[in-house]
PDB file of all heavy atoms in Angstrom:
ATOM      1  N   VAL S   1      82.662 -64.197  29.860  1.00  0.00           N
ATOM      2  CA  VAL S   1      82.245 -63.736  31.186  1.00  0.00           C
ATOM      3  C   VAL S   1      81.777 -62.295  31.070  1.00  0.00           C
ATOM      4  O   VAL S   1      82.289 -61.521  30.256  1.00  0.00           O
ATOM      5  CB  VAL S   1      83.409 -63.853  32.207  1.00  0.00           C
ATOM      6  CG1 VAL S   1      84.595 -62.987  31.802  1.00  0.00           C
ATOM      7  CG2 VAL S   1      82.954 -63.505  33.619  1.00  0.00           C
ATOM      8  N   GLY S   2      80.764 -61.936  31.864  1.00  0.00           N
ATOM      9  CA  GLY S   2      80.296 -60.559  31.911  1.00  0.00           C
ATOM     10  C   GLY S   2      80.986 -59.804  33.040  1.00  0.00           C
ATOM     11  O   GLY S   2      81.396 -60.396  34.050  1.00  0.00           O
ATOM     12  N   PHE S   3      81.132 -58.499  32.870  1.00  0.00           N
ATOM     13  CA  PHE S   3      81.701 -57.635  33.904  1.00  0.00           C
ATOM     14  C   PHE S   3      80.694 -56.550  34.255  1.00  0.00           C
ATOM     15  O   PHE S   3      80.126 -55.907  33.365  1.00  0.00           O
ATOM     16  CB  PHE S   3      82.993 -56.969  33.420  1.00  0.00           C
ATOM     17  CG  PHE S   3      84.138 -57.921  33.208  1.00  0.00           C
ATOM     18  CD1 PHE S   3      84.354 -58.506  31.974  1.00  0.00           C
ATOM     19  CD2 PHE S   3      84.998 -58.227  34.249  1.00  0.00           C
ATOM     20  CE1 PHE S   3      85.405 -59.388  31.762  1.00  0.00           C
ATOM     21  CE2 PHE S   3      86.057 -59.104  34.057  1.00  0.00           C
ATOM     22  CZ  PHE S   3      86.262 -59.689  32.813  1.00  0.00           C
ATOM     23  N   VAL S   4      80.461 -56.358  35.550  1.00  0.00           N
ATOM     24  CA  VAL S   4      79.660 -55.241  36.045  1.00  0.00           C
ATOM     25  C   VAL S   4      80.544 -54.518  37.050  1.00  0.00           C
ATOM     26  O   VAL S   4      80.848 -55.060  38.121  1.00  0.00           O
ATOM     27  CB  VAL S   4      78.351 -55.712  36.710  1.00  0.00           C
ATOM     28  CG1 VAL S   4      77.587 -54.519  37.276  1.00  0.00           C
ATOM     29  CG2 VAL S   4      77.492 -56.475  35.718  1.00  0.00           C
ATOM     30  N   ALA S   5      80.985 -53.301  36.692  1.00  0.00           N
ATOM     31  CA  ALA S   5      82.044 -52.652  37.470  1.00  0.00           C
ATOM     32  C   ALA S   5      81.726 -51.196  37.763  1.00  0.00           C
ATOM     33  O   ALA S   5      81.314 -50.444  36.861  1.00  0.00           O
ATOM     34  CB  ALA S   5      83.371 -52.753  36.711  1.00  0.00           C
ATOM     35  N   ASN S   6      81.917 -50.773  39.007  1.00  0.00           N
ATOM     36  CA  ASN S   6      81.850 -49.353  39.357  1.00  0.00           C
ATOM     37  C   ASN S   6      83.090 -48.660  38.791  1.00  0.00           C
ATOM     38  O   ASN S   6      84.192 -49.176  38.887  1.00  0.00           O
ATOM     39  CB  ASN S   6      81.829 -49.158  40.871  1.00  0.00           C
ATOM     40  CG  ASN S   6      80.717 -49.931  41.550  1.00  0.00           C
ATOM     41  OD1 ASN S   6      80.979 -50.700  42.479  1.00  0.00           O
ATOM     42  ND2 ASN S   6      79.491 -49.746  41.100  1.00  0.00           N
ATOM     43  N   ASN S   7      82.878 -47.477  38.214  1.00  0.00           N
ATOM     44  CA  ASN S   7      83.975 -46.740  37.588  1.00  0.00           C
ATOM     45  C   ASN S   7      84.191 -45.431  38.336  1.00  0.00           C
ATOM     46  O   ASN S   7      83.473 -44.460  38.124  1.00  0.00           O
ATOM     47  CB  ASN S   7      83.646 -46.475  36.117  1.00  0.00           C
ATOM     48  CG  ASN S   7      84.798 -45.826  35.383  1.00  0.00           C
ATOM     49  OD1 ASN S   7      85.944 -45.898  35.825  1.00  0.00           O
ATOM     50  ND2 ASN S   7      84.507 -45.192  34.265  1.00  0.00           N
ATOM     51  N   SER S   8      85.193 -45.399  39.211  1.00  0.00           N
ATOM     52  CA  SER S   8      85.414 -44.221  40.050  1.00  0.00           C
ATOM     53  C   SER S   8      85.861 -43.012  39.247  1.00  0.00           C
ATOM     54  O   SER S   8      85.848 -41.894  39.758  1.00  0.00           O
ATOM     55  CB  SER S   8      86.456 -44.532  41.134  1.00  0.00           C
ATOM     56  OG  SER S   8      87.729 -44.787  40.554  1.00  0.00           O
ATOM     57  N   ALA S   9      86.264 -43.206  37.988  1.00  0.00           N
ATOM     58  CA  ALA S   9      86.685 -42.077  37.150  1.00  0.00           C
ATOM     59  C   ALA S   9      85.515 -41.164  36.816  1.00  0.00           C
ATOM     60  O   ALA S   9      85.721 -40.030  36.387  1.00  0.00           O
ATOM     61  CB  ALA S   9      87.338 -42.585  35.865  1.00  0.00           C
ATOM     62  N   VAL S  10      84.284 -41.648  37.007  1.00  0.00           N
ATOM     63  CA  VAL S  10      83.081 -40.848  36.727  1.00  0.00           C
ATOM     64  C   VAL S  10      82.194 -40.846  37.968  1.00  0.00           C
ATOM     65  O   VAL S  10      81.690 -41.884  38.392  1.00  0.00           O
ATOM     66  CB  VAL S  10      82.292 -41.423  35.532  1.00  0.00           C
ATOM     67  CG1 VAL S  10      81.031 -40.618  35.281  1.00  0.00           C
ATOM     68  CG2 VAL S  10      83.158 -41.460  34.281  1.00  0.00           C
ATOM     69  N   GLY S  11      82.034 -39.687  38.567  1.00  0.00           N
ATOM     70  CA  GLY S  11      81.135 -39.551  39.714  1.00  0.00           C
ATOM     71  C   GLY S  11      81.485 -40.458  40.876  1.00  0.00           C
ATOM     72  O   GLY S  11      80.590 -40.915  41.603  1.00  0.00           O
ATOM     73  N   SER S  12      82.780 -40.717  41.079  1.00  0.00           N
ATOM     74  CA  SER S  12      83.241 -41.575  42.182  1.00  0.00           C
ATOM     75  C   SER S  12      82.646 -42.984  42.120  1.00  0.00           C
ATOM     76  O   SER S  12      82.660 -43.702  43.111  1.00  0.00           O
ATOM     77  CB  SER S  12      82.908 -40.945  43.544  1.00  0.00           C
ATOM     78  OG  SER S  12      83.552 -39.698  43.677  1.00  0.00           O
ATOM     79  N   GLY S  13      82.123 -43.361  40.951  1.00  0.00           N
ATOM     80  CA  GLY S  13      81.548 -44.695  40.822  1.00  0.00           C
ATOM     81  C   GLY S  13      80.242 -44.866  41.555  1.00  0.00           C
ATOM     82  O   GLY S  13      79.752 -45.998  41.719  1.00  0.00           O
ATOM     83  N   GLN S  14      79.631 -43.762  42.003  1.00  0.00           N
ATOM     84  CA  GLN S  14      78.361 -43.876  42.723  1.00  0.00           C
ATOM     85  C   GLN S  14      77.264 -44.406  41.782  1.00  0.00           C
ATOM     86  O   GLN S  14      77.269 -44.135  40.587  1.00  0.00           O
ATOM     87  CB  GLN S  14      77.950 -42.522  43.301  1.00  0.00           C
ATOM     88  CG  GLN S  14      78.799 -42.093  44.496  1.00  0.00           C
ATOM     89  CD  GLN S  14      78.295 -40.810  45.113  1.00  0.00           C
ATOM     90  OE1 GLN S  14      78.050 -39.832  44.420  1.00  0.00           O
ATOM     91  NE2 GLN S  14      78.135 -40.799  46.418  1.00  0.00           N
ATOM     92  N   ILE S  15      76.335 -45.145  42.340  1.00  0.00           N
ATOM     93  CA  ILE S  15      75.278 -45.764  41.554  1.00  0.00           C
ATOM     94  C   ILE S  15      74.082 -44.828  41.513  1.00  0.00           C
ATOM     95  O   ILE S  15      73.440 -44.578  42.542  1.00  0.00           O
ATOM     96  CB  ILE S  15      74.874 -47.119  42.160  1.00  0.00           C
ATOM     97  CG1 ILE S  15      76.089 -48.037  42.264  1.00  0.00           C
ATOM     98  CG2 ILE S  15      73.782 -47.775  41.322  1.00  0.00           C
ATOM     99  CD1 ILE S  15      75.834 -49.300  43.075  1.00  0.00           C
ATOM    100  N   ASP S  16      73.774 -44.299  40.328  1.00  0.00           N
ATOM    101  CA  ASP S  16      72.598 -43.457  40.167  1.00  0.00           C
ATOM    102  C   ASP S  16      71.514 -44.240  39.434  1.00  0.00           C
ATOM    103  O   ASP S  16      71.654 -45.441  39.180  1.00  0.00           O
ATOM    104  CB  ASP S  16      72.951 -42.153  39.445  1.00  0.00           C
ATOM    105  CG  ASP S  16      73.557 -42.395  38.068  1.00  0.00           C
ATOM    106  OD1 ASP S  16      73.578 -43.558  37.607  1.00  0.00           O
ATOM    107  OD2 ASP S  16      74.017 -41.419  37.449  1.00  0.00           O
ATOM    108  N   ILE S  17      70.424 -43.572  39.060  1.00  0.00           N
ATOM    109  CA  ILE S  17      69.290 -44.247  38.430  1.00  0.00           C
ATOM    110  C   ILE S  17      69.707 -44.920  37.128  1.00  0.00           C
ATOM    111  O   ILE S  17      69.411 -46.091  36.890  1.00  0.00           O
ATOM    112  CB  ILE S  17      68.150 -43.239  38.180  1.00  0.00           C
ATOM    113  CG1 ILE S  17      67.585 -42.729  39.505  1.00  0.00           C
ATOM    114  CG2 ILE S  17      67.038 -43.870  37.345  1.00  0.00           C
ATOM    115  CD1 ILE S  17      66.625 -41.563  39.369  1.00  0.00           C
ATOM    116  N   ALA S  18      70.410 -44.169  36.279  1.00  0.00           N
ATOM    117  CA  ALA S  18      70.802 -44.718  34.977  1.00  0.00           C
ATOM    118  C   ALA S  18      71.717 -45.923  35.138  1.00  0.00           C
ATOM    119  O   ALA S  18      71.570 -46.935  34.442  1.00  0.00           O
ATOM    120  CB  ALA S  18      71.488 -43.636  34.140  1.00  0.00           C
ATOM    121  N   ALA S  19      72.678 -45.834  36.057  1.00  0.00           N
ATOM    122  CA  ALA S  19      73.613 -46.943  36.266  1.00  0.00           C
ATOM    123  C   ALA S  19      72.898 -48.176  36.805  1.00  0.00           C
ATOM    124  O   ALA S  19      73.197 -49.312  36.415  1.00  0.00           O
ATOM    125  CB  ALA S  19      74.722 -46.518  37.216  1.00  0.00           C
ATOM    126  N   ALA S  20      71.944 -47.977  37.721  1.00  0.00           N
ATOM    127  CA  ALA S  20      71.224 -49.104  38.307  1.00  0.00           C
ATOM    128  C   ALA S  20      70.424 -49.859  37.247  1.00  0.00           C
ATOM    129  O   ALA S  20      70.448 -51.094  37.185  1.00  0.00           O
ATOM    130  CB  ALA S  20      70.305 -48.616  39.428  1.00  0.00           C
ATOM    131  N   TYR S  21      69.715 -49.118  36.387  1.00  0.00           N
ATOM    132  CA  TYR S  21      68.935 -49.776  35.331  1.00  0.00           C
ATOM    133  C   TYR S  21      69.845 -50.412  34.283  1.00  0.00           C
ATOM    134  O   TYR S  21      69.537 -51.487  33.753  1.00  0.00           O
ATOM    135  CB  TYR S  21      67.990 -48.768  34.672  1.00  0.00           C
ATOM    136  CG  TYR S  21      66.721 -48.515  35.470  1.00  0.00           C
ATOM    137  CD1 TYR S  21      66.295 -47.227  35.771  1.00  0.00           C
ATOM    138  CD2 TYR S  21      65.937 -49.580  35.922  1.00  0.00           C
ATOM    139  CE1 TYR S  21      65.133 -46.993  36.504  1.00  0.00           C
ATOM    140  CE2 TYR S  21      64.776 -49.360  36.646  1.00  0.00           C
ATOM    141  CZ  TYR S  21      64.376 -48.066  36.943  1.00  0.00           C
ATOM    142  OH  TYR S  21      63.230 -47.848  37.668  1.00  0.00           O
ATOM    143  N   LYS S  22      70.921 -49.755  33.970  1.00  0.00           N
ATOM    144  CA  LYS S  22      71.885 -50.324  33.021  1.00  0.00           C
ATOM    145  C   LYS S  22      72.429 -51.648  33.561  1.00  0.00           C
ATOM    146  O   LYS S  22      72.494 -52.652  32.842  1.00  0.00           O
ATOM    147  CB  LYS S  22      73.025 -49.323  32.802  1.00  0.00           C
ATOM    148  CG  LYS S  22      74.173 -49.805  31.927  1.00  0.00           C
ATOM    149  CD  LYS S  22      75.231 -48.708  31.806  1.00  0.00           C
ATOM    150  CE  LYS S  22      76.475 -49.174  31.092  1.00  0.00           C
ATOM    151  NZ  LYS S  22      77.483 -48.101  30.956  1.00  0.00           N
ATOM    152  N   ASN S  23      72.808 -51.668  34.827  1.00  0.00           N
ATOM    153  CA  ASN S  23      73.309 -52.900  35.453  1.00  0.00           C
ATOM    154  C   ASN S  23      72.231 -53.984  35.472  1.00  0.00           C
ATOM    155  O   ASN S  23      72.487 -55.145  35.141  1.00  0.00           O
ATOM    156  CB  ASN S  23      73.768 -52.616  36.879  1.00  0.00           C
ATOM    157  CG  ASN S  23      75.018 -51.760  36.937  1.00  0.00           C
ATOM    158  OD1 ASN S  23      75.696 -51.561  35.935  1.00  0.00           O
ATOM    159  ND2 ASN S  23      75.318 -51.245  38.114  1.00  0.00           N
ATOM    160  N   ALA S  24      71.019 -53.593  35.883  1.00  0.00           N
ATOM    161  CA  ALA S  24      69.934 -54.581  36.020  1.00  0.00           C
ATOM    162  C   ALA S  24      69.645 -55.274  34.699  1.00  0.00           C
ATOM    163  O   ALA S  24      69.496 -56.497  34.641  1.00  0.00           O
ATOM    164  CB  ALA S  24      68.672 -53.900  36.551  1.00  0.00           C
ATOM    165  N   ARG S  25      69.579 -54.502  33.641  1.00  0.00           N
ATOM    166  CA  ARG S  25      69.262 -55.087  32.344  1.00  0.00           C
ATOM    167  C   ARG S  25      70.356 -56.049  31.878  1.00  0.00           C
ATOM    168  O   ARG S  25      70.078 -57.129  31.361  1.00  0.00           O
ATOM    169  CB  ARG S  25      69.071 -53.969  31.323  1.00  0.00           C
ATOM    170  CG  ARG S  25      68.641 -54.473  29.965  1.00  0.00           C
ATOM    171  CD  ARG S  25      68.207 -53.316  29.094  1.00  0.00           C
ATOM    172  NE  ARG S  25      68.525 -53.591  27.705  1.00  0.00           N
ATOM    173  CZ  ARG S  25      68.667 -52.656  26.783  1.00  0.00           C
ATOM    174  NH1 ARG S  25      68.552 -51.399  27.123  1.00  0.00           N
ATOM    175  NH2 ARG S  25      68.928 -52.969  25.544  1.00  0.00           N
ATOM    176  N   PHE S  26      71.603 -55.653  32.045  1.00  0.00           N
ATOM    177  CA  PHE S  26      72.713 -56.507  31.626  1.00  0.00           C
ATOM    178  C   PHE S  26      72.764 -57.787  32.452  1.00  0.00           C
ATOM    179  O   PHE S  26      72.990 -58.882  31.930  1.00  0.00           O
ATOM    180  CB  PHE S  26      74.025 -55.734  31.745  1.00  0.00           C
ATOM    181  CG  PHE S  26      75.233 -56.530  31.350  1.00  0.00           C
ATOM    182  CD1 PHE S  26      75.451 -56.883  30.021  1.00  0.00           C
ATOM    183  CD2 PHE S  26      76.156 -56.941  32.299  1.00  0.00           C
ATOM    184  CE1 PHE S  26      76.571 -57.621  29.652  1.00  0.00           C
ATOM    185  CE2 PHE S  26      77.276 -57.669  31.937  1.00  0.00           C
ATOM    186  CZ  PHE S  26      77.484 -58.004  30.604  1.00  0.00           C
ATOM    187  N   ILE S  27      72.545 -57.659  33.765  1.00  0.00           N
ATOM    188  CA  ILE S  27      72.572 -58.836  34.649  1.00  0.00           C
ATOM    189  C   ILE S  27      71.458 -59.808  34.269  1.00  0.00           C
ATOM    190  O   ILE S  27      71.666 -61.028  34.229  1.00  0.00           O
ATOM    191  CB  ILE S  27      72.441 -58.393  36.126  1.00  0.00           C
ATOM    192  CG1 ILE S  27      73.680 -57.590  36.550  1.00  0.00           C
ATOM    193  CG2 ILE S  27      72.264 -59.601  37.041  1.00  0.00           C
ATOM    194  CD1 ILE S  27      73.491 -56.811  37.841  1.00  0.00           C
ATOM    195  N   ARG S  28      70.279 -59.290  33.981  1.00  0.00           N
ATOM    196  CA  ARG S  28      69.158 -60.157  33.580  1.00  0.00           C
ATOM    197  C   ARG S  28      69.478 -60.880  32.277  1.00  0.00           C
ATOM    198  O   ARG S  28      69.150 -62.059  32.119  1.00  0.00           O
ATOM    199  CB  ARG S  28      67.877 -59.335  33.435  1.00  0.00           C
ATOM    200  CG  ARG S  28      67.268 -58.872  34.756  1.00  0.00           C
ATOM    201  CD  ARG S  28      66.004 -58.062  34.518  1.00  0.00           C
ATOM    202  NE  ARG S  28      64.977 -58.849  33.852  1.00  0.00           N
ATOM    203  CZ  ARG S  28      64.132 -59.665  34.471  1.00  0.00           C
ATOM    204  NH1 ARG S  28      64.199 -59.807  35.788  1.00  0.00           N
ATOM    205  NH2 ARG S  28      63.231 -60.341  33.796  1.00  0.00           N
ATOM    206  N   PHE S  29      70.105 -60.190  31.344  1.00  0.00           N
ATOM    207  CA  PHE S  29      70.468 -60.840  30.084  1.00  0.00           C
ATOM    208  C   PHE S  29      71.445 -61.997  30.339  1.00  0.00           C
ATOM    209  O   PHE S  29      71.268 -63.105  29.819  1.00  0.00           O
ATOM    210  CB  PHE S  29      71.086 -59.831  29.110  1.00  0.00           C
ATOM    211  CG  PHE S  29      71.535 -60.449  27.824  1.00  0.00           C
ATOM    212  CD1 PHE S  29      70.641 -60.655  26.786  1.00  0.00           C
ATOM    213  CD2 PHE S  29      72.852 -60.854  27.638  1.00  0.00           C
ATOM    214  CE1 PHE S  29      71.042 -61.237  25.596  1.00  0.00           C
ATOM    215  CE2 PHE S  29      73.265 -61.441  26.457  1.00  0.00           C
ATOM    216  CZ  PHE S  29      72.356 -61.636  25.432  1.00  0.00           C
ATOM    217  N   CYS S  30      72.480 -61.736  31.118  1.00  0.00           N
ATOM    218  CA  CYS S  30      73.464 -62.782  31.429  1.00  0.00           C
ATOM    219  C   CYS S  30      72.804 -63.951  32.159  1.00  0.00           C
ATOM    220  O   CYS S  30      73.155 -65.115  31.931  1.00  0.00           O
ATOM    221  CB  CYS S  30      74.604 -62.207  32.268  1.00  0.00           C
ATOM    222  SG  CYS S  30      75.663 -61.044  31.379  1.00  0.00           S
ATOM    223  N   ASN S  31      71.848 -63.647  33.013  1.00  0.00           N
ATOM    224  CA  ASN S  31      71.141 -64.688  33.751  1.00  0.00           C
ATOM    225  C   ASN S  31      70.361 -65.596  32.806  1.00  0.00           C
ATOM    226  O   ASN S  31      70.359 -66.820  32.937  1.00  0.00           O
ATOM    227  CB  ASN S  31      70.198 -64.040  34.764  1.00  0.00           C
ATOM    228  CG  ASN S  31      69.711 -65.007  35.824  1.00  0.00           C
ATOM    229  OD1 ASN S  31      70.293 -66.069  36.043  1.00  0.00           O
ATOM    230  ND2 ASN S  31      68.643 -64.641  36.509  1.00  0.00           N
ATOM    231  N   LEU S  32      69.692 -64.999  31.831  1.00  0.00           N
ATOM    232  CA  LEU S  32      68.892 -65.776  30.890  1.00  0.00           C
ATOM    233  C   LEU S  32      69.754 -66.660  29.993  1.00  0.00           C
ATOM    234  O   LEU S  32      69.366 -67.777  29.643  1.00  0.00           O
ATOM    235  CB  LEU S  32      68.057 -64.835  30.015  1.00  0.00           C
ATOM    236  CG  LEU S  32      66.864 -64.154  30.691  1.00  0.00           C
ATOM    237  CD1 LEU S  32      66.314 -63.053  29.804  1.00  0.00           C
ATOM    238  CD2 LEU S  32      65.778 -65.167  31.010  1.00  0.00           C
ATOM    239  N   TYR S  33      70.939 -66.174  29.634  1.00  0.00           N
ATOM    240  CA  TYR S  33      71.742 -66.859  28.629  1.00  0.00           C
ATOM    241  C   TYR S  33      73.030 -67.471  29.183  1.00  0.00           C
ATOM    242  O   TYR S  33      74.022 -67.613  28.471  1.00  0.00           O
ATOM    243  CB  TYR S  33      72.033 -65.906  27.471  1.00  0.00           C
ATOM    244  CG  TYR S  33      70.769 -65.550  26.729  1.00  0.00           C
ATOM    245  CD1 TYR S  33      70.178 -64.306  26.883  1.00  0.00           C
ATOM    246  CD2 TYR S  33      70.130 -66.472  25.915  1.00  0.00           C
ATOM    247  CE1 TYR S  33      68.999 -63.978  26.233  1.00  0.00           C
ATOM    248  CE2 TYR S  33      68.947 -66.159  25.258  1.00  0.00           C
ATOM    249  CZ  TYR S  33      68.391 -64.920  25.418  1.00  0.00           C
ATOM    250  OH  TYR S  33      67.218 -64.605  24.778  1.00  0.00           O
ATOM    251  N   ASN S  34      73.006 -67.835  30.472  1.00  0.00           N
ATOM    252  CA  ASN S  34      74.051 -68.674  31.064  1.00  0.00           C
ATOM    253  C   ASN S  34      75.453 -68.058  30.999  1.00  0.00           C
ATOM    254  O   ASN S  34      76.437 -68.760  30.765  1.00  0.00           O
ATOM    255  CB  ASN S  34      74.065 -70.048  30.383  1.00  0.00           C
ATOM    256  CG  ASN S  34      72.725 -70.751  30.466  1.00  0.00           C
ATOM    257  OD1 ASN S  34      72.248 -71.109  31.538  1.00  0.00           O
ATOM    258  ND2 ASN S  34      72.077 -70.928  29.314  1.00  0.00           N
ATOM    259  N   ILE S  35      75.536 -66.743  31.186  1.00  0.00           N
ATOM    260  CA  ILE S  35      76.830 -66.064  31.149  1.00  0.00           C
ATOM    261  C   ILE S  35      77.257 -65.718  32.579  1.00  0.00           C
ATOM    262  O   ILE S  35      76.543 -64.999  33.279  1.00  0.00           O
ATOM    263  CB  ILE S  35      76.754 -64.781  30.292  1.00  0.00           C
ATOM    264  CG1 ILE S  35      76.382 -65.143  28.852  1.00  0.00           C
ATOM    265  CG2 ILE S  35      78.074 -64.028  30.329  1.00  0.00           C
ATOM    266  CD1 ILE S  35      76.139 -63.944  27.959  1.00  0.00           C
ATOM    267  N   PRO S  36      78.411 -66.216  33.046  1.00  0.00           N
ATOM    268  CA  PRO S  36      78.904 -65.860  34.380  1.00  0.00           C
ATOM    269  C   PRO S  36      79.202 -64.359  34.452  1.00  0.00           C
ATOM    270  O   PRO S  36      79.421 -63.708  33.427  1.00  0.00           O
ATOM    271  CB  PRO S  36      80.192 -66.680  34.516  1.00  0.00           C
ATOM    272  CG  PRO S  36      80.138 -67.715  33.441  1.00  0.00           C
ATOM    273  CD  PRO S  36      79.320 -67.140  32.339  1.00  0.00           C
TER     274      PRO S  36
END
């Protein structure tokens, strides 16, 4: 299973540009390869 998690220990877990693209790329990979 994949995990996409906000981490409040860094910047209150707010989503910035780098985090959004990092999440998007990982989610797309999991989508292509059948990973929940």
Side-chain angles (χ1 to χ4, degrees):
V1 61
F3 293 91
V4 177
N6 305 126
N7 185 20
S8 65
V10 178
S12 299
Q14 287 185 311
I15 303 170
D16 58 8
I17 294 170
Y21 280 130
K22 175 180 173 179
N23 291 347
R25 184 169 147 202
F26 179 70
I27 294 165
R28 287 180 62 84
F29 177 84
C30 291
N31 196 18
L32 287 168
Y33 294 105
N34 303 295
I35 299 174

